[in-house]
Amino acid sequence: MDVKIIVDAFGGDNAPLEIMKGCEMAVKELDVDIMLTGKEDVIRKVAKENEISLERMQIVDAPDVITMEDSASDVMKAKNKCSMAEGLRRLAADEGDAFISAGNSGALVVGATHTVKRIKGIKRVAFAPIMPKDKGFFMLIDGGANIECTPQMLQQFGIMGSAYMEHVMEIKKPRVALANIGTEDHKGGELQHQAFALLKSTDLNFIGNIEARDIPADAGDVIVSDGFTGNVILKLYEGVAMTLMNKIKDIFMASVSNKIAAAIVLKDMKKLKKAMDYNEYGGAPIMGCAKPVFKAHGSAKAKTFYNALRLTKAYVAGDVIGEISRSVAEFDKDDSAE
Amino acid sequence: MDVKIIVDAFGGDNAPLEIMKGCEMAVKELDVDIMLTGKEDVIRKVAKENEISLERMQIVDAPDVITMEDSASDVMKAKNKCSMAEGLRRLAADEGDAFISAGNSGALVVGATHTVKRIKGIKRVAFAPIMPKDKGFFMLIDGGANIECTPQMLQQFGIMGSAYMEHVMEIKKPRVALANIGTEDHKGGELQHQAFALLKSTDLNFIGNIEARDIPADAGDVIVSDGFTGNVILKLYEGVAMTLMNKIKDIFMASVSNKIAAAIVLKDMKKLKKAMDYNEYGGAPIMGCAKPVFKAHGSAKAKTFYNALRLTKAYVAGDVIGEISRSVAEFDKDDSAE
């Protein structure tokens, strides 16, 4: 299958060098074509200076450069000749199969919604980070794109998340769970009650409500939530892990004997830190767009970005969008038959 | 100041023995009187067998015993002769200054609301656990009593939490923050926007919105939230810490050399585990009741329960209820003047 991925060469902390290195790896290893968007002169200069091959890479000049200070709407309006806006337009114009960026998440969600549009029948686009748990990983959907959600939106989040986890992350019959304040069926508010019923009515592997306490254990493969709660989960997860790891670091630095102990377990601790760092995982697909859009981590270096490109290719090859379209059409049919 | 604390002798995993031991310590150390509610024959037998002095302890027989299977409403209705219901009635009848239980949180919130009633002007009672952070602790209010909240309820949570942290936990000008999905003033949904404005209008030390990522660092002394989000924060906090600590334990058990390293840092790691265990902290006052009601941790042993009794005494002696009443009356006056 020929896959062409449009890449925001100027998104993220390590752009464009690490992005370009990741793309070079992807061309070699994944047999994909790349379209790079960004300042063409800089891209060519960086390629030359770092001996990065531009084989199978098309460059589309995008002269505007966005900064951390630019808001999501700036990116798509005032600076609509930036690498992200250009890439999204090229995707919408069918010049590639997917778009990937390590740039601003908010801008990417807003831009994807307006430029690429949604899958027919899908109410809202969701930000769906893949996060570490005790063993493996899970998808949190929505991680913050939609503050106010309807029950139907949550149902669709479950359908979309399940399709992605099955066809991209290769989890058989992903367990879909509703983030709630207890495991009993009646828990939560009106939103949860109705979303529970709607999720139960699907043919998803819906395992019911889960408590936040059980998310890091192994409570589910797709955790469905409104975007406010999801964003709190995403950020608290990171905050608690970071605080705890810092405290452990303090212990290891506290005395000479502790430093010796640290040296012994250093390798294993580093492995743990990496395993718990959600930046190491599969980034965050933007679910619900009519074509695959993928958010790579802002701090991604070449290897992490390469990994994100691998998942983006699988997002295309797994026909996740087609799966979602068919599921949603099925539901719409059911609705109109009622 | 003479303080008499009504104690649920049959609440919690280690009742009545550890509860009674904690009470014995409190009588000696804190100069308080105790009223124990529970099965009188068992209390007397346990006291005798364990040589626990019942000096300054009154016993009120409460023959019903509740189990984990009983719902919150069972506790207050079908089993209204249980130790918790009896204690709350005695508090409402002014036979003591405060009530403390290590029993079911949900039942305690429901029971306190119906039996003890609310402070005049307070819309809802809140469950307000004291939790560990990088340095020290913070109050999370509401931790789960009210799934659906109005902006005014969140304002009152801020007022109540601040009074408690100042007068019981001895934090000068507690920093009150609103749990949100970003630090900018406009973040969040309608509830957050309005609550932000209402909190800003108080004379609290309101520091604005905080992101969940910053809660475990040192983002605030009182974290204000609706009960759904608060419960997610409370439980995820515990879940992430637990999963991470288990993973570290696995590392320390992974090899002979790692076990040696573990032995070196064991004491410090235990200290950390204790510091991060919110069970070790000050329990959870039920805020907004017309008289002090305090939830001690279900797993509390004698020393933890003694500590909870110490805080309960401070809850009375600090006149937190009076402080809250005056603040709320001030606001009601402002409202009617408008």
Side-chain angles (χ1 to χ4, degrees):
Chain A
M1 175 176 197
D2 275 352
V3 173
K4 182 174 192 172
I5 301 174
I6 306 170
V7 175
D8 176 357
F10 274 67
D13 307 337
N14 306 304
L17 178 59
E18 297 292 327
I19 304 295
M20 289 168 62
K21 280 188 186 168
C23 289
E24 186 187 29
M25 287 168 71
V27 167
K28 273 187 204 147
E29 306 288 332
L30 304 175
D31 185 31
V32 293
D33 290 293
I34 300 281
M35 175 190 281
L36 290 171
T37 62
K39 284 170 91 82
E40 182 165 4
D41 53 344
V42 178
I43 291 172
R44 295 210 180 274
K45 188 165 160 264
V46 169
K48 200 170 176 186
E49 283 174 4
N50 297 277
E51 295 180 2
I52 296 169
S53 158
L54 292 176
E55 197 192 337
R56 296 179 72 176
M57 293 193 210
Q58 180 189 346
I59 301 168
V60 174
D61 192 38
D64 287 351
V65 170
I66 57 182
T67 65
M68 287 299 285
E69 281 66 46
D70 290 317
S71 73
S73 57
D74 285 346
V75 173
M76 301 314 298
K77 285 175 192 163
K79 295 199 170 175
N80 76 343
K81 286 210 176 71
C82 71
S83 55
M84 187 189 282
E86 188 63 48
L88 287 167
R89 273 196 303 272
R90 298 278 171 161
L91 180 67
D94 270 334
E95 294 183 38
D97 301 300
F99 176 66
I100 179 171
S101 174
N104 183 299
S105 307
L108 189 58
V109 169
V110 171
T113 306
H114 290 117
T115 312
V116 186
K117 311 292 181 194
R118 297 190 298 272
I119 297 170
K120 190 168 176 287
I122 288 292
K123 302 287 171 197
R124 294 289 188 90
V125 158
F127 178 69
I130 305 293
M131 296 171 65
K133 60 178 159 67
D134 186 30
K135 285 179 179 61
F137 42 78
F138 67 95
M139 170 183 275
L140 176 66
I141 181 167
D142 176 21
N146 307 284
I147 305 306
E148 318 267 7
C149 288
T150 64
Q152 200 195 356
M153 284 163 61
L154 266 57
Q155 181 193 37
Q156 293 188 340
F157 295 165
I159 292 169
M160 297 195 293
S162 181
Y164 186 90
M165 293 308 272
E166 182 150 1
H167 296 284
V168 178
M169 305 306 277
E170 298 179 344
I171 290 170
K172 295 266 164 266
K173 285 191 141 293
R175 293 162 302 158
V176 177
L178 182 64
N180 210 326
I181 57 169
T183 53
E184 301 92 334
D185 291 3
H186 67 275
K187 283 284 176 178
E190 207 43 42
L191 175 63
Q192 286 74 30
H193 295 165
Q194 291 186 28
F196 186 97
L198 287 178
L199 283 162
K200 218 177 153 76
S201 74
T202 63
D203 54 6
L204 296 175
N205 182 13
F206 178 58
I207 58 168
N209 291 321
I210 58 154
E211 272 200 308
R213 179 189 281 120
D214 299 324
I215 294 177
D218 190 17
D221 303 307
V222 178
I223 308 293
V224 173
S225 164
D226 65 274
F228 186 90
T229 307
N231 197 263
V232 167
I233 292 172
L234 173 66
K235 289 176 179 164
L236 188 65
Y237 214 92
E238 193 187 354
V240 173
M242 214 161 54
T243 298
L244 211 51
M245 289 309 255
N246 284 340
K247 281 190 159 295
I248 288 162
K249 204 174 152 192
D250 288 347
I251 288 179
F252 281 137
M253 300 302 288
S255 68
V256 174
S257 55
N258 283 14
K259 281 179 190 168
I260 294 168
I264 298 171
V265 294
L266 185 67
K267 220 173 122 184
D268 290 331
M269 289 300 289
K270 276 195 172 162
K271 226 187 288 172
L272 171 62
K273 203 176 166 192
K274 206 171 161 172
M276 292 306 290
D277 180 1
Y278 77 107
N279 289 309
E280 291 290 331
Y281 277 83
I286 313 293
M287 300 300 305
C289 289
K291 296 194 81 175
V293 175
F294 196 94
K295 167 73 174 82
H297 290 292
S299 60
K301 294 206 169 183
K303 211 179 154 189
T304 305
F305 197 78
Y306 160 77
N307 194 35
L309 282 161
R310 188 176 60 75
L311 293 166
T312 304
K313 186 192 171 186
Y315 192 174
V316 176
D319 189 27
V320 176
I321 309 267
E323 284 288 329
I324 295 170
S325 299
R326 284 185 289 276
S327 297
V328 172
E330 197 63 32
F331 262 86
D332 282 354
K333 208 174 61 191
D334 289 357
D335 282 354
S336 47
E338 267 167 21
Chain B
M1 177 177 195
D2 276 353
V3 173
K4 183 175 191 172
I5 302 175
I6 307 170
V7 176
D8 176 359
F10 273 68
D13 308 336
N14 305 305
L17 177 60
E18 296 293 325
I19 304 295
M20 289 168 63
K21 279 188 187 169
C23 289
E24 186 187 29
M25 286 168 71
V27 166
K28 271 186 205 147
E29 306 289 331
L30 304 174
D31 185 31
V32 293
D33 291 291
I34 300 281
M35 175 190 282
L36 291 170
T37 61
K39 284 171 90 85
E40 183 165 4
D41 53 344
V42 177
I43 292 173
R44 294 210 180 274
K45 189 165 159 265
V46 168
K48 199 170 175 188
E49 283 173 4
N50 297 278
E51 295 180 2
I52 296 169
S53 159
L54 292 176
E55 196 192 338
R56 294 180 71 177
M57 293 193 211
Q58 179 188 348
I59 301 168
V60 174
D61 193 39
D64 288 349
V65 170
I66 57 180
T67 66
M68 287 298 286
E69 280 66 46
D70 290 316
S71 73
S73 57
D74 285 346
V75 173
M76 302 313 299
K77 286 176 191 162
K79 295 198 170 175
N80 76 343
K81 285 208 177 71
C82 71
S83 54
M84 187 188 283
E86 187 64 47
L88 287 167
R89 273 195 302 274
R90 299 278 170 161
L91 180 67
D94 270 335
E95 293 182 41
D97 300 301
F99 175 66
I100 180 171
S101 174
N104 184 297
S105 307
L108 189 58
V109 169
V110 172
T113 306
H114 290 117
T115 312
V116 185
K117 312 292 182 194
R118 296 191 297 271
I119 296 170
K120 191 167 173 286
I122 288 292
K123 301 288 172 196
R124 292 289 187 91
V125 157
F127 178 69
I130 305 294
M131 297 172 64
K133 60 177 158 68
D134 186 31
K135 284 178 179 63
F137 42 78
F138 66 94
M139 170 183 275
L140 176 66
I141 181 167
D142 174 21
N146 307 285
I147 305 306
E148 319 267 7
C149 288
T150 63
Q152 199 194 355
M153 283 163 63
L154 266 58
Q155 181 193 37
Q156 292 188 341
F157 295 166
I159 292 169
M160 296 195 293
S162 182
Y164 187 90
M165 292 308 273
E166 181 149 4
H167 297 283
V168 177
M169 304 306 277
E170 297 179 345
I171 291 170
K172 297 267 165 263
K173 287 192 142 295
R175 293 162 301 158
V176 177
L178 182 63
N180 210 327
I181 57 169
T183 52
E184 301 92 334
D185 290 4
H186 67 275
K187 283 282 177 179
E190 207 42 43
L191 174 63
Q192 286 75 31
H193 296 165
Q194 292 187 29
F196 186 96
L198 287 177
L199 283 162
K200 219 176 151 77
S201 74
T202 63
D203 54 6
L204 296 175
N205 181 13
F206 178 58
I207 59 169
N209 291 321
I210 58 154
E211 271 201 309
R213 180 188 282 120
D214 299 324
I215 295 176
D218 191 18
D221 303 307
V222 178
I223 309 291
V224 173
S225 165
D226 65 274
F228 186 90
T229 307
N231 197 264
V232 167
I233 292 171
L234 173 66
K235 288 177 180 162
L236 188 66
Y237 214 93
E238 192 188 355
V240 174
M242 214 161 54
T243 296
L244 211 51
M245 290 307 256
N246 284 340
K247 282 191 159 295
I248 288 162
K249 203 174 153 192
D250 288 347
I251 288 178
F252 280 137
M253 300 301 288
S255 68
V256 174
S257 55
N258 284 14
K259 280 180 191 168
I260 293 168
I264 297 172
V265 294
L266 185 67
K267 220 173 122 184
D268 289 331
M269 289 300 290
K270 276 195 171 162
K271 227 188 285 172
L272 171 62
K273 202 176 168 194
K274 207 171 160 171
M276 292 307 290
D277 180 1
Y278 76 107
N279 288 308
E280 291 291 330
Y281 277 82
I286 313 293
M287 300 300 304
C289 289
K291 298 194 80 175
V293 175
F294 196 95
K295 168 72 173 81
H297 290 292
S299 59
K301 294 204 169 184
K303 209 177 156 190
T304 304
F305 197 78
Y306 160 78
N307 194 36
L309 282 161
R310 187 176 59 75
L311 293 165
T312 303
K313 186 191 172 187
Y315 193 174
V316 175
D319 189 26
V320 176
I321 309 268
E323 284 289 328
I324 294 170
S325 300
R326 284 185 290 276
S327 297
V328 173
E330 197 63 30
F331 263 86
D332 283 354
K333 207 172 61 190
D334 290 357
D335 284 353
S336 46
E338 268 167 20

